[in-house]
Amino acid sequence: MKASQGPGGWLANVRGLAGTSPWRALGLVMAAAAPWAVADSGRTAADCPPPETVTLQSLVNAARSAGGDCGSRGLRPAQPALDWNDTLAAVASQQARWLARIGALAHVGESGQRLGDRAHAGGYRWRRINENLAMGQAAAGEAVADWLRSDEHCSNLLDPGVAEFALVCAITARNQRVWVWVAGRR
């Protein structure tokens, strides 16, 4: 997801996030995550409880099977189920370690690489790839619900061109959960 450069900037893209503060919304617009991380101060951030892969798969696929209204991106019909992919999970985890360590959210990696380059470097030879990121939600279901209220995130989640995914979480040194969802097709 790219932040808007036009009138209203990033806030114009997240107005559909009812009850979301601008700072939490900014986390949705410029986010990423992982299963563990090390904080800047040297303190180790806590791991998110490890949800069963099947639970995450059920959560994501339930949202896809329902379809939805992605606002400016249009109505999306029900989509096929996605398979879990360990390579995508590793790509997301590497990004998240860095983001949790610096306490910031971004779609570029530590060395400035965008998602496609990070995925390729991690061994995922993609034809299509996308990423949703969020911060502050206590559970994966909350992150998915917030993504469904954001036009671009909704469009990514309900993208008919992807076949597999990973969804990971980390808890920063400030006790904030960070979520990253990466989906692709080889």
Side-chain angles (χ1 to χ4, degrees):
M1 147 123 212
K2 295 178 184 173
S4 170
Q5 300 301 314
W10 64 269
L11 188 55
N13 285 337
V14 294
R15 288 200 172 129
L17 301 174
T20 301
S21 75
W23 296 113
R24 182 167 175 196
L26 180 60
L28 284 167
V29 174
M30 302 174 58
W36 63 273
V38 179
D40 273 338
S41 65
R43 295 173 288 164
T44 301
D47 292 349
C48 286
E52 296 292 322
T53 299
V54 81
T55 301
L56 294 175
Q57 197 165 0
S58 295
L59 176 67
V60 167
N61 287 330
R64 287 178 61 83
S65 70
D69 182 355
C70 295
S72 65
R73 300 291 178 134
L75 292 172
R76 297 291 174 127
Q79 299 299 324
L82 300 178
D83 294 320
W84 180 267
N85 183 279
D86 289 331
T87 303
L88 290 176
V91 168
S93 295
Q94 182 179 18
Q95 173 74 353
R97 289 180 197 122
W98 175 65
L99 295 172
R101 187 173 60 245
I102 65 169
L105 302 169
H107 281 286
V108 295
E110 186 170 9
S111 63
Q113 291 181 312
R114 296 196 176 276
L115 173 62
D117 295 327
R118 289 184 276 123
H120 192 266
Y124 191 82
R125 306 298 182 250
W126 57 274
R127 289 186 302 171
R128 184 174 189 97
I129 194 153
N130 61 47
E131 176 176 64
N132 279 353
L133 310 131
M135 177 185 262
Q137 298 81 357
E142 291 177 34
V144 170
D146 282 350
W147 291 328
L148 288 170
R149 288 189 292 267
S150 166
D151 295 0
E152 285 192 50
H153 291 99
C154 174
S155 181
N156 284 345
L157 191 66
L158 302 180
D159 183 350
V162 296
E164 46 199 6
F165 82 104
L167 174 60
V168 298
C169 171
I171 301 174
T172 70
R174 293 183 179 177
N175 276 334
Q176 288 186 304
R177 289 184 189 229
V178 186
W179 301 91
V180 63
W181 177 85
V182 178
R185 177 180 295 277
R186 293 185 256 191

